[in-house]
Amino acid sequence: MNMVVNVKCETFPIKGEFRISRGAKTTADVIVCEIRAGEHVGRGECVPYARYGETLSGVEKAIGSFDIANNGSASAARAALHAQMERGAARNALDCALWDLDAKQNQKQFHQLTQLPPPRPIETAFTLSLDSPEAMADAARRASSRPLLKIKLGGSDDIACMHAVVANAPNSRIIIDANEAWREEDLPKLMREAAHLDISLIEQPLPAGNDSALANMPHPVPICADESAHCSQGIAQLTDRYDYVNIKLDKTGGLTEAFKMHAEAKRLGFGIMVGCMVGTSLAMAPAIHLAQDADYVDLDGPLLLAKDRTPALHYFGSTVSPPQAALWG
């Protein structure tokens, strides 16, 4: 049966402003890929990321250029996709849409199709944007009932921001994400302060091209690779630098490679974080299956939006339930 791809860009407003060390945004611009085969439609969502040279128009064009028509089945198309297209947001949208289509064509849920255990609700981190210490204190106070907070740092007042968040969310575990913004010469002091405050994890403190320095210093707080870790290939070179890896579908180029990266990371002894870009429930849904045994889950994209899509994932506080088939899988 021939398959037809439709691709479109959608915009969702963010609650206030989402700010990291590289800049701020007030909307989540996502790309949705729909693959139709007869009466069945599979969907996937991706978020192009300028950090990796991706643009909305470029990703749309890449999705549209994939020759899917004569692959015969969703599984055959998925194999062709991974043979022909490099990892990244475009491949992620196609890969997830093909998994969704495969599930619908076989009248099975994703976990049944892949012979995985039924997914369970999981706890996600909740992200606080980079801001002044006073603003981050207020944000931490409002989120203090959440068990796990992720705070964006990388400004001039990072130590003050750490103290402000910890003081105003004393019962929450804290992850720091510097998004490559810390300098090597400042890192020992920042890490010591984080250890003193009982921070649980530090994510990507140094630029990916300069992270070899992490091999030569103590890790009083475990360190997680994000921008330095994209797929299963190459992460073996990170074992002396990082303690955890952050697996994101837009980096791996889909759920297929994400599961391979998960297995390789486990084999190498890394802890696992499953993360996301700021997107809707459609982007989070496949990752919930990947995150079932993760040490840290950061799938809070919809919680940062002023409005999610319908149907959506169900969030009860910081607990997110597995997706219903009407959404994905």
Side-chain angles (χ1 to χ4, degrees):
M1 181 179 295
N2 282 352
M3 291 174 279
V4 178
V5 175
N6 180 54
V7 58
K8 57 185 176 181
C9 179
E10 297 178 346
T11 297
F12 294 81
I14 290 172
K15 294 176 185 175
E17 182 181 68
F18 181 75
R19 179 179 294 276
I20 67 172
S21 60
R22 280 190 284 270
K25 61 181 183 178
T26 57
T27 61
D29 299 314
V30 308
I31 290 180
V32 176
C33 170
E34 296 181 344
I35 302 177
R36 180 177 295 276
E39 61 182 308
H40 301 292
V41 179
R43 298 190 303 157
E45 178 183 311
C46 69
V47 181
Y49 197 21
R51 166 67 178 80
Y52 305 128
E54 295 177 332
T55 63
L56 289 166
S57 60
V59 169
E60 281 189 277
K61 182 177 179 181
I63 292 172
S65 68
F66 177 57
D67 184 9
I68 199 172
N70 298 311
N71 280 287
S73 69
S75 58
R78 199 164 54 246
L81 171 68
H82 284 263
Q84 297 172 22
M85 187 177 289
E86 295 293 322
R87 58 173 173 77
R91 196 177 76 180
N92 176 35
L94 282 160
D95 183 74
C96 290
L98 286 165
W99 275 116
D100 188 34
L101 178 63
D102 207 352
K104 289 177 169 59
Q105 286 179 322
N106 285 281
Q107 297 184 324
K108 292 182 178 181
Q109 292 180 289
F110 174 80
H111 73 274
Q112 296 169 325
L113 190 69
T114 52
Q115 299 183 326
L116 291 169
R120 55 179 177 78
I122 51 179
E123 177 188 283
T124 179
F126 180 76
T127 303
L128 305 184
S129 288
L130 174 66
D131 212 321
S132 68
E134 295 76 18
M136 293 190 76
D138 289 341
R141 194 176 304 116
R142 293 193 299 271
S144 60
S145 64
R146 296 183 183 274
L148 181 63
L149 299 179
K150 178 173 177 175
I151 64 173
K152 294 289 189 177
L153 296 182
S156 58
D157 295 318
D158 280 354
I159 289 178
C161 289
M162 287 186 215
H163 280 268
V165 169
V166 170
N168 286 278
N171 298 317
S172 302
R173 293 176 294 137
I174 308 295
I175 299 169
I176 288 171
D177 186 3
N179 288 109
E180 303 182 276
W182 285 356
R183 298 184 302 178
E184 181 181 340
E185 57 267 33
D186 297 330
L187 188 55
K189 178 182 178 181
L190 289 162
M191 289 180 67
R192 285 194 301 269
E193 198 67 26
H196 173 70
L197 292 170
D198 201 25
I199 300 297
S200 296
L201 191 70
I202 297 173
E203 191 177 345
Q204 197 69 43
L206 298 178
N210 192 38
D211 63 0
S212 60
L214 297 173
N216 302 315
M217 62 179 66
H219 293 192
V221 177
I223 303 177
C224 179
D226 183 0
E227 286 87 348
S228 289
H230 294 260
C231 59
S232 57
Q233 293 182 337
I235 60 171
Q237 300 171 11
L238 305 178
T239 53
D240 62 343
R241 306 176 192 183
Y242 294 98
D243 309 290
Y244 290 76
V245 293
N246 187 346
I247 305 174
K248 294 179 180 176
L249 302 190
D250 281 316
K251 289 192 302 179
T252 64
L255 197 55
T256 304
E257 173 59 27
F259 271 106
K260 292 179 182 178
M261 183 176 178
H262 182 285
E264 178 67 355
K266 283 282 193 181
R267 186 188 72 81
L268 293 167
F270 287 109
I272 303 292
M273 174 187 281
V274 173
C276 68
M277 307 298 289
V278 182
T280 78
S281 284
L282 181 57
M284 307 301 123
I288 287 176
H289 293 274
L290 179 71
Q292 288 296 299
D293 67 346
D295 301 285
Y296 292 95
V297 177
D298 180 25
L299 297 177
D300 65 341
L303 295 177
L304 306 177
L305 301 178
K307 183 180 180 181
D308 196 3
R309 68 173 68 251
T310 302
L313 292 170
H314 177 68
Y315 287 85
F316 182 76
S318 290
T319 299
V320 55
S321 295
Q324 298 298 309
L327 173 63
W328 187 88

